[in-house]
Amino acid sequence: MTTIPSTTTTLTPSDIEIATRAADNFTRLFYTAYDSDTRLAELPQFYRQTSSLTWNGKPFQGVDGVRSLINDMPPTKHEVQSFDCQPIPGPQPPSLMVTVSGNVTHGKGPAGNPPNTPAKTIDGQPRVFSQTFMLLPDPTAPPTKPGEVAKYYISADSLRFVG
Amino acid sequence: MFSTSTAPPAGSKAIASTALRNAGLIDKDTQMRDMTDKQGGRKGSSKISSHRHRPIDQFKNARPGSSSRTLTSSARISSSASHAGPSDPLSIRGASRPTAAGRMRRNAVSASGGSSSSSSLPTRVTITRGAKTIEFWREVVKKRWNPEIQFLNLESLIDDEVVKRHNLSSPGLGGGSAREAAVIFKLAGELKPPVKTLSLANNKLADLDFISGRKEKLLHLRELLLIGNPVRDFEYKNNRADRYKQELTRRFPSLEVLDSEPVAQISFDVQQAPAAIPVKKPDATTFPYPMSGSFITGVDGGLVSNFLVRFFALFDGQRGQLVDAYDPQASFSFSVNTTIPIRARVQGLHTSKELPNQRKLEWSHWLSAGEGGSRNLNRMHGGLERAVKSLHIGGDAAVKAFQTFPGTIHEIGGPPEKFCLEAFPVPLGANAGMGLLVSLHGQFTELPVDGVRSFDRTFLLAPAADGSRAKLNGWDVVILSDQWTIRAYSSPEAWKAGDLLVQAQAKSTSNGSASQNQLPQSVISSLPTEQQSALATIPEPQRNLVIQLMSRTNLNVKFAVDCLQNNEWNMDKAYANFEQVKATLGREAYL
C-alpha cells in the first residue's frame, strides 16, 4: 500500500453538499435496482471489473462476480433506515464512503412461512443489514450531462446481515 | 424568507372540503380560508386548542413554529386588507399558515351554506373548495403540459385564461395559497410520462414549503425554472443564492438544471431505459450462499486486530488519546438507526431476563450528541448546515465529538462470536493509492444505564507514514474515515456461520416425527447461546427428542427435558402432556 498523495484539499461545504446529494441519489437508485424484476440487468451497471465486494463474508470480484452473486438470490425488498456519506480526503472529485443501515426481506417475508409456524419464529422475518460502499469517479466515463462533475461507480461493497 | 401566507380563494362559495380530502389532495386537517373572512369574527382554528372558536386574530404574524421543516419564516406578510371584498385577488390575509402537522381546524360555522359575501356574519367563514376546483386545475395543467418533451409550463398562472375564467386562486398570488399549490403539484406528480421540465416562472411564489420532490413525487424532474418569483429574487438580493440552490437541489435530487444553470452533481452510470435483453426475474426460494465468518484478506490479520483492540480500549477508557490516530483531513461521523429490529422484537430480546436494562435506554442523547447530532442523511432536518456540522474533520474535532457520547464498553477482547469483521484493501481513488476498508459489526454496553446497543463501524485506513503523528504515537495505520452506526441491539446470531433460511421450514406433524433423525443445524443455531450449551450436555438420542419437542412447543431446554423425562422419553406422550398443562406454564418455561 502506498501512502495517500499530498494533493489533499480541505473539504468545502460544497463538496459535502454534492456528496450528500450523491449518496441520497445512489441509495435510492441502488436499492430500487436490487429490488426490481430486472435486477440482473440493472445492478451490474453500478460496478466495474475492478470492483470488490463481499456478501456475508463471501468475496466476489468484478461485474461477473456481481452477476454470480445475484443470479440466484431470492427477490428482495430493502428498506433504508439510515445512511451516511463522507467524502474521502484525496484528489478531486472526491471518492465517497457510504454506509447504509436498514431492513431487508427476502422472498415473501413472514407471509411466506408455512402455516403453523410458531409466532416466535424469526425465519422469514426481515433482517437488519449493514452495507458499506466506496464510490469512485470513473475516469473513463466522461460527463454527459450539464453540471455533471463525474460518473461514479461502486469500487467496493461490503454487506452483512446484522440482525 | 421561505415564508408564506395564505390568500383566500377569490370569491368562491362554501363547499365542504370533504371532496378535496377524499381525493387525497389536501390533508385531512386543513381547511381553506376565504376572502370574505371578516375582521372581528371568530377564528375557526387555533394552534393551541383546537376545538374552540377564538377571537379572530386576523393579523397573525410570525408564528415561528408553523413553518415546516428546516426553514423558519422570517417575514410574514400581514394584512391590513380586512375590508377586501371577494373580488379583490390581491388581498392578503393574515399569515396563519395551515401546516399539515396536525392542526385541527374546525369546519367553519359556515357549514351554514356559507354565503361568501354575508358581511353581517361576525364569524369567520372558512370556505373550502370542492371537486370542481380540482377539475379546473386539471384543465389548466393539461393545457400547459407537453408530454412529448415532458415539459409542464406553469409560468404566469395569474394571467392564464382558464384560471381567470374559473376564478381560481393562483399559487403565489399576492402571497400564495398553499392549498392551490398542493393541488397543482399533486396533479403534476400524476402526469405520465413523468415531468422532466417544470417552469414556475413569474408566479409570485414566496415559499417553497409546498413543493418537495419526494412528497409530490416529482422524482424525475431534470429542470426547474423559478425566475421571476420572490422566493428566488429575495435570496439572490441578500447574497444567499448558494443557499437557495442548495435547498432546491435537496428537494429535487434528480435536478440537473436550475434557472438555466447546470447543477453540479455526481451521477451513476446506469441507464434508465429497460434492458435490451430480457432478464430472468428473481424467483429463488433459497439463498445461494451460506453465512460465512469474518473476512480478512490482503492484510495481516494481526495488524487489523491490533488496531481494533487499541482503538476500542481507548474509546472505552480514554477517548482523548485517539486524537493521534486520525489523519488531519480525516472525517468522523455517526448515525443512529432508532428503528426497532424486527427479529429482536419477535424474540423478545429487549424484554428478556438476560438483558434487564434495555428498557432504560434512550435515544435522545445520542441523537443530539457530537456537536451536530446524528448524521442520518435519510432524515436530516437542518439542511446543509447540519450536514456540514455533523461531519467532524481531523482528530481534534473527532475527539471533541467523542466526549459527548455516553460511556461505552466494547469488550473487543471478549467472546469473538459477538463481533464480525470485513477487512480488505480498496483503491482510494483513481491513481490515489490503496487503503484498507475495515467494517466491524458488534455490540457495546452503554453506561451508565448498562444496556446493550448494537453497532456497525467502518474505517478507511492507510499506512501511517514514518514520522507522522500517528506513527510516532504507536499507530501503524492512520484513520482517513470513520463512520459509526448505532442501532438497537440485535443478536449476534445474525452472523453465525452456516445455512441461511429464506422462509421458516415446515414443521413436522405429530405423526411420524420419530423418523426425523437430524434437524437442520440452522434450527439449533437459531437458539440462544445458553440454550445451545445446555443442549450440548445432553447425549443422543435424547438430544434430538429435546430439540424436536422444543421446536414444536417453544419450551426451553430445561422444561423440554423435564417434560420428556416425566413421559419416559416418549415424544407423543410428552407432547400430549404439554398440551394438557400448557395453560399453567409461566414465561420461564419458554424460550
Side-chain angles (χ1 to χ4, degrees), chain B residues 411-487:
Chain B
E411 288 179 343
I412 294 279
E417 60 271 9
K418 292 193 176 168
F419 296 92
C420 187
L421 177 68
E422 282 95 35
F424 54 95
V426 292
L428 291 171
N431 308 319
M434 297 293 277
L436 184 66
L437 186 68
V438 176
S439 265
L440 179 68
H441 311 283
Q443 62 189 72
F444 62 84
T445 305
E446 177 182 320
L447 302 171
V449 169
D450 212 22
V452 185
R453 304 282 195 189
S454 286
F455 76 92
D456 312 293
R457 199 152 185 171
T458 301
F459 297 96
L460 187 61
L461 305 173
D466 290 327
S468 67
R469 178 178 187 172
K471 194 72 165 189
L472 292 171
N473 282 282
W475 297 95
D476 291 320
V477 287
V478 67
I479 301 171
L480 300 179
S481 173
D482 173 4
Q483 284 187 35
W484 189 24
T485 301
I486 301 126
R487 47 188 169 80

Side-chain angles (χ1 to χ4, degrees), chain A residues 8-159:
Chain A
T8 54
T9 47
T10 334
L11 282 178
T12 65
S14 177
D15 293 331
I16 296 174
E17 197 267 322
I18 298 181
T20 307
R21 249 188 307 127
D24 189 31
N25 243 348
F26 170 73
T27 48
R28 243 180 325 109
L29 287 171
F30 181 83
Y31 292 105
T32 305
Y34 209 114
D35 295 343
S36 83
D37 287 346
T38 47
R39 166 209 295 171
L40 278 179
E42 292 182 38
L43 210 63
Q45 295 184 57
F46 285 93
Y47 299 81
R48 300 283 182 275
Q49 279 311 111
T50 50
S51 305
S52 338
L53 53 151
T54 68
W55 184 88
N56 286 312
K58 187 169 167 67
F60 295 86
Q61 187 68 33
V63 179
D64 293 334
V66 174
R67 288 206 180 99
S68 57
L69 169 64
I70 60 175
N71 200 48
D72 294 305
M73 187 68 67
T76 52
K77 186 90 187 67
H78 288 84
E79 183 204 332
V80 172
Q81 289 155 355
S82 76
F83 73 90
D84 189 5
C85 169
Q86 292 177 5
I88 304 299
Q92 297 285 321
S95 304
L96 305 176
M97 191 163 90
V98 178
T99 53
V100 181
S101 178
N103 272 357
V104 58
T105 309
H106 294 85
K108 305 195 176 103
N113 282 344
N116 302 324
T117 302
K120 274 202 179 172
T121 309
I122 55 175
D123 299 319
Q125 296 283 357
R127 290 182 163 89
V128 184
F129 75 92
S130 166
Q131 194 156 13
T132 298
F133 300 94
M134 282 282 293
L135 304 177
L136 261 53
D138 186 349
T140 66
T144 52
K145 289 185 276 194
E148 195 178 271
V149 168
K151 283 214 168 49
Y152 278 55
Y153 68 98
I154 301 175
S155 164
D157 162 7
S158 173
L159 171 116

Side-chain angles (χ1 to χ4, degrees), chain B residues 501-522:
Chain B
L501 288 178
V502 173
Q503 310 287 166
Q505 297 198 304
K507 298 189 14 89
S508 51
T509 59
S510 54
N511 302 324
S513 57
S515 57
Q516 196 176 24
N517 272 334
Q518 189 69 22
L519 284 172
Q521 178 61 29
S522 43

Side-chain angles (χ1 to χ4, degrees), chain A residues 116-121, chain B residues 507-508 545-557 559-561 563-564 571-582 585-587 589-591:
Chain A
N116 302 324
T117 302
K120 274 202 179 172
T121 309
Chain B
K507 298 189 14 89
S508 51
L545 290 172
V546 172
I547 295 170
Q548 280 185 47
L549 187 63
M550 283 172 73
S551 64
R552 289 172 69 186
T553 61
N554 225 29
L555 288 171
N556 58 32
V557 173
F559 277 76
V561 167
C563 183
L564 281 161
M571 175 57 78
D572 290 343
K573 271 190 78 183
Y575 189 74
N577 190 195
F578 164 75
E579 289 285 303
Q580 281 172 330
V581 306
K582 69 180 177 184
L585 293 173
R587 271 199 73 241
Y590 290 99
L591 284 167

Side-chain angles (χ1 to χ4, degrees), chain B residues 223-302:
Chain B
E223 177 165 1
L224 176 65
L225 283 123
L226 283 171
I227 300 182
N229 284 293
V231 67
R232 182 182 189 274
D233 299 337
F234 193 77
E235 296 296 292
Y236 268 85
K237 208 156 46 137
N238 285 286
N239 267 324
R240 290 207 295 255
D242 276 343
R243 192 177 97 137
Y244 159 80
K245 290 186 214 175
Q246 281 152 15
E247 287 303 329
L248 276 160
T249 48
R250 190 168 68 90
R251 281 170 157 84
F252 297 103
S254 53
L255 205 61
E256 288 168 23
V257 183
L258 174 63
D259 300 328
S260 306
E261 281 176 32
V263 171
Q265 62 182 282
I266 284 167
S267 347
F268 300 93
D269 205 4
V270 276
Q271 288 127 348
Q272 303 287 336
I277 314 157
V279 284
K280 180 181 82 167
K281 187 175 135 162
D283 59 4
T285 52
T286 55
F287 281 107
Y289 306 100
M291 172 67 66
S292 307
S294 292
F295 174 76
I296 306 178
T297 195
V299 66
D300 170 23

